[in-house]
Every structure is written in structure tokens, then in C-alpha cells.
Amino acid sequence: MIVIPGPSVLFVVGRALAHGRRTALATAWGNALGSYLLVVVVALGLGSLIGRSATAFTAVKLAGAGYLVFLGVRALRHRGRLGEAGQPSPRPARRGDVRTVVDGMLVGATNPKGLVFFAAVLPQFVDHGAGAVPTQMLVLGLVPIGIGLVTDTAWALTASAARAWFARSERRMSLVGGAGGFAMIGLGITVAATGRAD
């Protein structure tokens, strides 16, 4: 289920097209960290509460959708500057990388489908007789997070390689940046429009 492209893959690919390999890789790491926060939430028992509350679920869903749309609009607004991607940035790269990881974390942590997935799947693999159920869930959660990180990284590298070809033309680069922005906006709208399977 994790290998099949879904919202996180579209997000990483959109970032790769809009901003390049470094941003896409940082986004994949951030998304993995945000997704692991969902594992922590489920391990502590909050996942089932959010899953049962239509209001909480909708709030998480809309927060994630809104943030995706915000990132997409920002990518669209700055698509004209993509040709300058190889030029030195006026702000330190480290701060940009940290911000990109945080962007990925926010998207990963507000993915309601991830929360529902972990809440439904992780408890099935826990040995209740062994005790330390939250610890077991935290360890088991590393498996899907690791698989997701590997596949998201592969998608990031693939999309970044395609972006490199487009970078030879400023016009094509602007179109690619627009496509990445539209992909993130479309993903945000899709997340907002999807409902719960009650």
C-alpha cells in the first residue's frame, strides 16, 4: 500500500518539479518525520479519538489541505525565478532546508489518511500479551515510514532528473514550476474533498 503513489508522492514530485532535487529530498525526509508523528499519536491512543470524531478528523484534513494549497500557490507565484535555481540564494541554504523539512513535516502530520492507516493497521501487529503496547507501535511504525522514505526518495530523484532536462529552457522551467504548483493545489483540493468512510 505504501509503494503505490499517493498524496505524499504527488507532494514530493510537485516539490521536485517546482524547486529541484534538494528541496524534494528534504521534503521527503520532512514528510517521513511528520508521518512518524502520526505513529506517535496512534501509539499514545489519540489516533482512535481523532478517527472517531468527525470534527477532529475534518479539522486535521482541512488544515493539511489548506497548507498544500498554500504551498502550491507559493510555487506558482515564484515559478519565474526557477531558472535562477542554480544561483546562490540570498538566504543561507541551511535555513531553507530546515524550512523545507518543516513544510514536509506539516503535510505528513496533517495527512488524515495516514492517521487512519496507522490507527487501523498498527494495532493488528501488536502482541498485547508482551506488554509495552505503545513501544511496540512506535517500533512497528518505523517499517512503513522507512518504506515510504525509500519510495518517496526514489520519486524525488526521478522527478528531479526530469526537471533537469526542463531547466535548459527558462520558458520550460516556468511551465514545470507551474505544473508543480498546480499539482500541490490539486492535491490540497482532493484532500479537502475526500470524506470519511463511515
Side-chain angles (χ1 to χ4, degrees):
M1 287 180 67
I2 294 166
V3 174
I4 297 168
S8 67
V9 169
L10 292 177
F11 179 58
V12 169
V13 167
R15 297 286 282 197
L17 293 176
H19 303 289
R21 182 179 64 196
R22 183 176 178 142
T23 297
L25 292 174
T27 299
W29 274 98
N31 192 43
L33 292 172
S35 296
Y36 193 71
L37 286 176
L38 295 179
V39 172
V40 172
V41 165
V42 168
L44 296 176
L46 300 175
S48 61
L49 293 175
I50 293 172
R52 285 185 295 213
S53 167
T55 303
F57 182 85
T58 301
V60 169
K61 176 179 77 166
L62 293 178
Y67 197 64
L68 282 167
V69 170
F70 166 76
L71 292 174
V73 169
R74 190 169 69 184
L76 281 173
R77 287 183 49 223
H78 297 113
R79 71 184 180 278
R81 298 185 207 161
L82 293 178
E84 307 161 7
Q87 303 302 321
S89 172
R91 71 178 178 187
R94 179 176 217 175
R95 181 172 172 225
D97 290 345
V98 169
R99 183 175 178 164
T100 300
V101 170
V102 169
D103 285 347
M105 282 181 66
L106 287 172
V107 170
T110 57
N111 179 357
K113 292 182 180 180
L115 182 64
V116 171
F117 172 80
F118 291 127
V121 173
L122 284 181
Q124 297 180 42
F125 293 94
V126 169
D127 179 2
H128 292 278
V133 170
T135 304
Q136 288 184 59
M137 286 183 158
L138 291 172
V139 173
L140 289 169
L142 291 171
V143 174
I145 297 299
I147 294 169
L149 181 59
V150 169
T151 57
D152 286 357
T153 298
W155 280 105
L157 294 173
T158 302
S160 300
R163 181 184 191 269
W165 178 80
F166 285 103
R168 296 183 197 145
S169 161
E170 205 170 301
R171 183 175 178 275
R172 283 189 299 209
M173 211 46 210
S174 180
L175 290 172
V176 166
F182 279 122
M184 287 184 270
I185 291 170
L187 179 59
I189 292 169
T190 301
V191 168
T194 56
R196 290 164 36 117
D198 293 272

